[in-house]
Amino acid sequence: MTEPIDASQDIVSESHMLAPILDQYAEWFGRVLRHAFYVQVVGPLNGPPPASFGEWVAQADPDMADAMNRLHTDMETAAQAVLMSAPAPDMAAFDAFVQLYEEFVLRIHRLERDSLSQDSGVDLLTGLRSRKMMMPDLDREMERRARRGQPFCLALVRIDHFDAMQKSLDKAALDHVLQRVSAMIKKTIRSFDDAYRLDGGEFMMSLKQADSAGGAAGINRLRRFMEEEDLRVPMKGRNVSVTLSCCVGEPQPGDDMDALMAHMRDDLERFGSERNTAVEYVDISPLERFVHAMDESKGDGEAH
């Protein structure tokens, strides 16, 4: 009689593989700081970071491995910048190293948590974070924003006229569009940023340690990459360029994230008939939003 496969054993073993990584990197982090501030006493730091991460990432999913490797490389580079300025590390270099280390630890914890969930946390078609994981991730960013005062920025990205594409393209062609746009988003975000696939042709980028100006720079990079990609689809007898419209918003302490994202979507919808649009969300009162909506409604009536 064939015994059923217990997939939970693989999940638990993967979770256990991550725990030693955290322990070893916590010890490495302490050594970097000790050698940075007391190099005259303990001498220079010899040896690379622990090997446990490299051993684990070699067996990981390629998309996951690529993202984690980028973050790990950035963290190593930041550690070297701190050590090179010892025994009085530059404050900006020190802050960058600490932030990257904290993000590395957060990602390890997240992988551990995701491995114990039925949802892997990754959208299988695009390799981006899944919608289900977005709100818990953003709640943690809001907590970090309140605790440390460092901004982060959201960028809502929408494929222009996606509804029309759904009617004109078969599933394989539509999936190809989603995958290529996702690839450009991955190319845009930094190693410590996150990106999520939402419903339909929408995505969300969470750009950390960035204000609205940094968010605007991010979507400009994305749009430039899309122009270089020159992705086209057949619609109505001709090849049409795939373009993106984006709305950037910088959450403030106390903001309701659901409401913020709804307002960002509303602001983007106001330009629904246009292509390749970039909008910056500006927080205004509900009354002001109501007045704007009434003004636009009157304008539409006059136009007719």
Side-chain angles (χ1 to χ4, degrees), residues 2-28:
T2 304
E3 292 293 328
I5 297 173
D6 185 359
S8 65
Q9 294 300 315
D10 293 334
I11 291 173
V12 172
S13 62
E14 182 180 352
S15 174
H16 285 174
M17 288 175 63
L18 296 171
I21 295 176
L22 287 175
D23 292 342
Q24 293 173 22
Y25 273 84
E27 190 273 335
W28 172 76

